[in-house]
Amino acid sequence: MTTCWYEGPLAAFDTETTGVDVETDRIVSAAVVVQDAPGVRPRVSRWLVNPGVPVPAEATAVHGLTEEHLQRNGRWPAPVMYEIAEALAEQAHVGRPVVVMNAPFDLTLLDRELRRHRASSLGRWLESAPLCVLDPRVLDKHLDRYRKGRRTLTDLCAHYGVALEGAHDAAADAVAALEVTRAVGRRFATRLERLAPGELHTLQAVWHAAQARGLQAWFARSGVEEAVDPAWPLRPDLPAAA
């Protein structure tokens, strides 16, 4: 019998950043972890980046990385973005699904950094093999849609009984997101086990768009003027300002 995707090899990707705007904020640290099977120690690749822009105190308060520390220990963004894109392209090439919690944030941010520093794009790196993304936030929201409460990584770890040690460290968050995704797979096995990761990737794009429409409608009813982007796992380019 073939192994279900959630019991097989998975990778995960996570970033820490200068803020929450994918168009203007920068990556200050990142990690790609690869786990060949549940319970096996993951292989971890880490990057520390000197973003070349100020690091706001609010961002440092989240991930603990100060501007001074990054200037002293971080590498320049251009080679780092190349290496991260190469690491993700390698996962795509071997057909290993990549877990990315709230994928449109991290993947879009990486795409914009590649454009900024490499005159490239994430899509260009994935031309020969598409990335198969598993987003625990989208999966959990679709499969357990009526559960009340927030769905941050910390919340999902608590709900699915996953230990999160060193939250807001890119490697720790990536490992935790990977474990949450395995836990989601097991809990909803009857609905997920027949789906190949590629099929699930396609379905998540549909589910995320529906979730975005629902959130947009809720905002409208609440009088909140905020646009929700339905694109998943990567936001399209913004049109150039006139």
Side-chain angles (χ1 to χ4, degrees), residues 44-221:
V44 181
S45 302
R46 305 169 187 266
W47 294 270
L48 197 63
V49 187
N50 176 359
V53 299
V55 179
E58 306 87 70
T60 298
V62 172
H63 49 59
L65 298 169
T66 63
E67 193 171 329
E68 184 188 31
H69 178 78
L70 293 167
Q71 284 174 353
R72 200 181 315 120
N73 301 291
R75 295 166 58 205
W76 287 113
V80 172
M81 300 314 149
Y82 180 98
E83 289 168 19
I84 296 172
E86 194 171 48
L88 292 178
E90 183 187 330
Q91 307 311 315
H93 185 70
V94 300
R96 191 181 289 121
V98 179
V99 171
V100 191
M101 171 77 186
N102 191 16
F105 179 77
D106 295 80
L107 294 181
T108 305
L109 201 62
L110 174 60
D111 175 75
R112 302 314 190 248
E113 289 277 50
L114 286 166
R115 292 165 190 267
R116 190 176 288 127
H117 298 291
R118 305 273 341 166
S120 182
S121 69
L122 189 54
R124 207 171 295 170
W125 278 91
L126 301 170
E127 278 169 347
S128 62
L131 195 63
C132 177
V133 178
L134 298 170
D135 187 335
R137 190 163 180 247
V138 174
L139 292 171
D140 171 71
K141 218 169 178 179
H142 177 79
L143 294 161
D144 197 0
R145 67 182 71 180
Y146 300 113
R147 189 176 83 250
K148 295 276 189 275
R150 298 164 69 224
R151 298 179 195 243
T152 66
L153 181 59
T154 305
D155 298 316
L156 294 186
C157 284
H159 183 71
Y160 288 98
V162 171
L164 176 55
E165 292 161 21
H168 299 296
D169 166 80
D173 286 358
V175 169
L178 190 151
E179 294 295 348
V180 165
T181 301
R182 291 199 190 279
V184 171
R186 292 181 190 119
R187 185 167 299 186
F188 297 98
T190 52
R191 295 163 69 182
L192 294 175
E193 62 188 355
R194 292 183 188 84
L195 294 169
E199 296 173 295
L200 204 47
H201 179 104
T202 304
L203 284 168
Q204 285 170 100
V206 177
W207 297 343
H208 179 271
Q211 292 163 9
R213 286 194 299 273
L215 184 57
Q216 191 75 76
W218 186 81
F219 279 159
R221 289 195 301 274

